[in-house]
């Protein structure tokens, strides 16, 4: 029996506007039609679609799933509309196509014959370079076009309206986009500005009053976040001058730990642009200019009065503590205790805050005293560094988990088998080309030989990786004491910043559970010390650290 071809398709559009307009449907329709012509079936689990993802980035959800399926041998043939749907950068195209070819996947582009002759291969390369050039030109034209529209006062460049307005598009506005005032929401905006100037209310008091009056947020929520009110008070559109170009994209900065449920890293970082570089666009005003200026002065005064507040990192474990139950991060919250001069702080799970989730808590995990938790973690870090024997035991344990060194004869035997397998593939292809084999015989033998080749390559790679790991660990074990001696010099006299940096270097995360605290260590060496990475779980039981008792 002839094995059926496992066919899949991949489609992509770049922008959210294209995704909302469902322009990807034309690609899917053309791909399915071609698959029917080739007598291939299309199933939902083999349709990989990236809706609204840029081709300049390889980290796309559907593309990741496609590459995983290819590596597992679940795809024999891949249909793509054009090479620029795979990637907009030529180097990325070459990488993906090479990866697919090495996995034995046949790639079919609808608008291009793939690599059967040197001329077709050159045309594919030229198309890849042109696609990358076109993307750069599109970005530049779009940037200059939007900037020109903003300079001429066209509201269409904003494409959306803040709270209190309704955005009327070019199509609905008879060729001219504009802001229309929503009087119900505009009254709320005016109240907020008046409360700040006339009653000198803080942003927190404004949020509480809005919730007490049962006024919904711009997104229809019953509770108001301080950042929403702050953005309203800082938006110059309410004074009649909407701003374009308030933010721009910058290079990606790696996070200390990934956010909850975030599988893919963020490719770019949003940077705030100074107000003097904004482009002003006239819009209907909700408050007069003097009131808006008075609000800005009041906000500056509030900031000056709050100048004693410490900015930046204020807690030793900030950004490292996570909830073992729900996966949300822990944040440190100061708590004032009556009849006590001292202010206490607790690490608290975000999921336990009902106001963040429309009044419903998502986690029942308790709080942990900040000073006791920080003391316990710092004690564990110090004991780990002051006792390098613990590090040595961990590395030796990992070294023992590796298999004993494989004889060179075994690896040479595998390499001989791999060479014979490749020669067998060549002979089968030649026999089919000369007409000595039927198509079903050729496909069956070729599939078995390729499976055998993949198995042998995997075994050889595993032996090579084990040998490298073994050599690295043997080198590390002999240098652990030197590493610990360098780090622990003056450890008792370290200040807050030095302690925080050392903890961030050694601790990967701190997991809070109902009854215990788990510290996941990450031991990495600076420079050329040659240390690898350790992940080891240490439990800080309440029996050992009495102060870790939780506050409900």
């Amino acid at each position: 029996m002839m094995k059926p071809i496992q066919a899949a398709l991949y489609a992509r559009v770049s922008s959210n506007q294209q995704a909302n307009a469902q322009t990807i449907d034309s690609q899917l329709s053309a791909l399915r039609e071609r698959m029917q012509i080739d007598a291939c079936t299309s199933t939902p689990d083999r349709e990989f679609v990236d809706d609204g993802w840029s081709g300049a980035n390889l980290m796309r959800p559907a593309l990741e799933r496609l590459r995983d399926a290819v590596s597992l041998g679940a795809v024999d043939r891949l249909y793509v509309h054009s090479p620029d749907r795979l990637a907009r950068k030529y180097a990325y195209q070459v990488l993906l196509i090479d990866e697919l070819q090495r996995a034995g996947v046949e790639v079919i582009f609808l608008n291009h014959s793939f690599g059967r002759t040197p001329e077709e291969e050159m045309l594919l390369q030229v198309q890849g370079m042109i696609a990358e050039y076109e993307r750069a030109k599109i970005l530049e034209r779009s940037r200059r076009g939007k900037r020109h529209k903003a300079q001429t006062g066209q509201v269409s460049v904003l494409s959306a309206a803040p709270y209190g307005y309704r955005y009327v598009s070019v199509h609905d506005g008879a060729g001219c986009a504009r802001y229309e005032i929503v009087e119900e929401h505009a009254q709320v905006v005016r109240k907020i500005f008046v409360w700040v100037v006339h009653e000198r209310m803080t942003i927190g008091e404004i949020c509480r009053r809005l919730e007490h009056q049962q006024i919904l947020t711009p997104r229809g929520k019953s509770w108001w976040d301080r950042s929403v009110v702050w953005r309203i008070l800082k938006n110059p559109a309410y004074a009649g001058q909407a701003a374009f170009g308030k933010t721009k994209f910058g290079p990606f900065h790696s996070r200390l730990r990934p956010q909850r449920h975030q599988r893919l890293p963020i490719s770019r970082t949003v940077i705030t642009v100074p107000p003097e570089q904004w482009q002003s666009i006239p819009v209907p005003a909700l408050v007069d200019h003097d009131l808006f200026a008075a609000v800005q002065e009041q906000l500056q005064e509030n900031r000056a009065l709050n100048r004693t507040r410490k900015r930046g990192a204020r807690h030793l474990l900030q950004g490292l503590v996570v909830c073992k139950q729900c996966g949300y991060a822990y944040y440190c919250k100061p708590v004032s205790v009556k009849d006590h001069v001292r202010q206490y702080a607790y690490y608290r799970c975000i999921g336990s805050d009902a106001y963040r989730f429309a009044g419903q808590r998502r986690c029942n995990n308790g709080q942990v005293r900040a000073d006791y938790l920080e003391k316990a973690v710092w004690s564990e870090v110090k004991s780990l560094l002051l006792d390098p024997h613990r590090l040595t035991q961990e590395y030796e344990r990992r070294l023992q988990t590796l298999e004993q060194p494989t004889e060179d004869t075994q690896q040479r035997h595998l390499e001989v088998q791999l060479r014979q397998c490749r020669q067998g593939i060549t002979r089968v292809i030649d026999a089919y080309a000369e007409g000595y084999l039927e198509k079903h015989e050729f496909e069956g033998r070729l599939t078995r030989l390729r499976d055998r080749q993949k198995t042998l390559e995997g075994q050889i790679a595993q032996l090579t990786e084990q040998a490298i790991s073994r050599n690295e660990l043997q080198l590390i074990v002999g240098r652990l004491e030197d590493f610990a001696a360098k780090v622990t010099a003056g450890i008792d006299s370290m200040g807050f910043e030095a302690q925080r940096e050392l903890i961030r270097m050694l601790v990967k995360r701190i997991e809070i559970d109902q009854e215990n605290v788990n510290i996941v260590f990450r031991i990495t060496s600076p420079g050329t010390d040659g240390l690898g990475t350790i992940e080891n779980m240490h439990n800080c039981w309440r029996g050992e650290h009495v102060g870790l008792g939780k506050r409900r």
Side-chain angles (χ1 to χ4, degrees):
M1 294 294 294
M2 183 176 178
K3 180 182 177 182
I5 297 177
Q6 302 179 101
L9 63 85
Y10 178 78
R12 180 190 64 82
V13 292
S14 300
S15 63
N16 292 328
Q17 290 86 350
Q18 290 175 311
N20 295 334
Q22 297 181 345
T23 58
I24 203 168
D25 292 342
S26 60
Q27 292 186 44
L28 295 174
S29 177
L31 292 171
R32 290 166 182 159
E33 182 179 351
R34 174 61 185 273
M35 294 178 71
Q36 290 180 357
I37 295 175
D38 294 346
C40 295
T41 58
S42 174
T43 58
D45 60 327
R46 291 181 184 170
E47 292 185 355
F48 303 92
V49 181
D50 278 321
D51 229 351
W53 288 85
S54 172
N57 189 356
L58 285 179
M59 302 298 290
R60 293 170 249 155
L63 183 61
E64 288 288 289
R65 290 189 286 108
L66 171 62
R67 297 172 73 178
D68 292 342
V70 168
S71 65
L72 295 175
V75 178
D76 297 327
R77 182 182 296 174
L78 178 65
Y79 290 84
V80 188
H81 188 273
S82 57
D84 63 346
R85 297 300 89 193
L86 276 179
R88 275 286 191 175
K89 288 187 176 181
Y90 171 66
Y92 290 167
Q93 287 186 16
V94 174
L95 185 148
L96 291 174
I97 292 175
D98 180 66
E99 179 179 328
L100 294 170
Q101 286 181 329
R102 283 190 286 106
V105 178
E106 179 186 3
V107 183
I108 296 179
F109 297 115
L110 300 191
N111 66 344
H112 177 73
S113 298
F114 180 70
R116 292 187 176 88
T117 64
E119 291 78 10
E120 292 176 350
E121 187 69 25
M122 183 186 68
L123 179 60
L124 177 63
Q125 297 174 3
V126 171
Q127 284 183 339
M129 290 184 287
I130 291 176
E132 184 174 353
Y133 170 76
E134 283 181 345
R135 179 181 180 274
K137 293 297 292 182
I138 289 172
L139 291 177
E140 178 62 17
R141 292 193 191 104
S142 176
R143 184 191 67 83
R144 291 183 59 84
K146 290 181 178 180
R147 184 169 176 269
H148 175 72
K149 287 183 177 181
Q151 291 174 344
T152 56
Q154 299 185 40
V155 180
S156 60
V157 71
L158 300 173
S159 71
Y163 182 70
Y165 296 98
R166 179 188 300 108
Y167 177 74
V168 180
S169 63
V170 175
H171 177 73
D172 298 333
C176 182
R178 64 181 183 275
Y179 279 2
E180 285 186 353
I181 298 177
V182 180
E183 194 58 36
E184 179 185 359
H185 297 166
Q187 291 295 334
V188 178
V189 174
R190 296 188 184 102
K191 286 181 181 180
I192 293 175
F193 276 86
V194 170
W195 290 342
V196 173
V197 175
H198 294 175
E199 303 183 30
R200 300 173 65 85
M201 294 179 61
T202 64
I203 293 180
E205 292 175 346
I206 292 174
C207 292
R208 288 188 287 271
R209 179 174 290 188
L210 291 172
E211 294 171 7
H212 179 71
Q213 295 181 3
Q214 297 183 352
I215 298 175
L216 299 181
T217 67
R219 295 191 177 184
K221 298 180 180 179
S222 59
W223 56 273
W224 286 73
D225 191 85
R226 286 176 168 84
S227 62
V228 176
V229 177
W230 184 85
R231 284 195 294 266
I232 290 177
L233 295 173
K234 298 293 291 187
N235 195 339
Y238 297 118
Q241 294 293 326
F244 171 77
K246 293 188 290 185
T247 59
K248 65 179 180 180
F249 289 118
F252 169 69
H253 298 287
S254 60
R255 297 179 181 270
L256 184 62
R257 56 172 178 77
Q259 289 183 334
R260 182 177 182 269
H261 299 323
Q262 179 181 317
R263 191 175 68 91
L264 300 178
I266 302 174
S267 59
R268 294 181 292 184
T269 303
V270 179
I271 301 175
T272 302
V273 177
E276 56 270 14
Q277 299 181 15
W278 297 353
Q279 296 289 335
S280 297
I281 302 174
V283 296
L286 297 186
V287 298
D288 57 62
H289 185 271
D290 294 337
L291 179 60
F292 184 82
V295 167
Q296 307 311 308
E297 293 178 3
Q298 185 63 46
L299 293 177
Q300 289 292 338
E301 181 180 344
N302 293 346
R303 177 174 294 181
L305 293 175
N306 199 28
R307 62 184 179 275
T308 58
R309 179 182 176 184
K310 186 176 180 180
R311 301 290 176 179
R314 290 176 290 164
H315 305 286
L316 197 62
L317 309 180
Q318 187 171 333
L320 291 173
V321 188
V322 296
C323 180
K324 181 70 173 180
Q325 294 189 6
C326 67
Y328 279 103
Y330 263 67
Y331 70 97
C332 204
K333 181 179 180 180
V335 178
S336 299
V337 182
K338 294 182 179 180
D339 301 329
H340 287 272
V341 179
R342 183 176 179 182
Q343 291 241 351
Y344 294 91
Y346 285 83
Y347 283 100
R348 178 180 177 86
C349 177
I350 291 178
S352 64
D353 290 337
Y355 76 91
R356 299 177 185 269
F357 308 101
Q360 298 292 329
R361 297 179 61 177
R362 295 193 176 182
C363 181
N364 59 356
N365 210 352
Q367 303 179 118
V368 181
R369 271 281 294 269
D371 51 350
Y372 294 156
L373 178 62
E374 292 172 356
K375 182 180 179 181
V377 172
W378 179 243
S379 175
E380 288 291 327
V381 171
K382 285 180 59 178
S383 63
L384 181 68
L385 293 175
L386 294 174
D387 185 11
H389 183 64
R390 294 174 61 185
L391 297 177
T392 304
Q393 287 180 338
E394 173 63 22
Y395 277 113
E396 289 178 347
R397 182 188 65 82
R398 294 194 170 198
L399 187 59
Q400 292 174 359
T401 58
L402 296 176
E403 296 180 359
Q404 295 298 322
T406 307
E407 296 182 359
D408 295 338
T409 54
Q410 182 178 353
Q411 186 165 354
R412 287 198 298 268
H413 180 64
L414 291 175
E415 291 175 353
V416 171
Q417 290 182 346
L418 179 60
R419 184 166 56 253
Q420 293 175 350
C421 182
R422 290 172 177 170
Q423 293 174 355
I425 293 176
T426 303
R427 288 195 295 269
V428 169
I429 294 175
D430 293 340
Y432 177 70
E434 296 294 335
Y436 296 114
L437 292 176
E438 297 294 333
K439 184 177 181 180
H440 66 279
E441 296 177 333
F442 164 72
E443 291 179 345
R445 294 186 183 182
L446 187 62
T447 300
R448 289 191 297 271
L449 287 172
R450 283 181 173 173
D451 292 341
R452 176 62 175 166
Q453 178 185 1
K454 186 180 299 184
T455 302
L456 292 172
E457 290 176 347
Q459 292 176 354
I460 294 174
Q462 184 177 6
L463 292 176
T464 304
E465 184 178 354
Q466 287 181 356
I468 295 174
S469 300
R470 189 181 304 106
N471 294 334
E472 289 179 351
L473 288 177
Q474 289 174 350
L475 178 64
I476 288 170
V477 169
R479 307 177 69 174
L480 283 175
E481 293 185 359
D482 294 338
F483 169 73
K486 291 179 182 178
V487 176
T488 55
I491 193 171
D492 293 329
S493 60
M494 283 186 176
F496 173 82
E497 293 296 336
Q499 290 182 7
R500 184 169 178 269
E501 289 301 321
L502 185 59
I503 289 176
R504 288 163 65 94
M505 182 181 70
L506 300 182
V507 177
K508 185 174 183 179
R509 65 182 178 273
I510 302 167
E511 299 175 344
I512 307 294
D513 207 346
Q514 288 284 355
E515 298 297 333
N516 59 343
V517 178
N518 295 326
I519 306 175
V520 183
F521 281 100
R522 171 179 52 202
I523 308 300
T524 56
S525 67
T528 59
D529 282 348
L531 291 178
T533 301
I534 296 179
E535 287 191 12
N536 197 8
M537 307 298 288
H538 297 268
N539 296 332
C540 302
W541 299 99
R542 289 198 288 182
E544 300 175 4
H545 303 280
V546 180
L548 289 180
K550 297 184 180 179
R551 181 176 182 268
R552 296 290 177 180

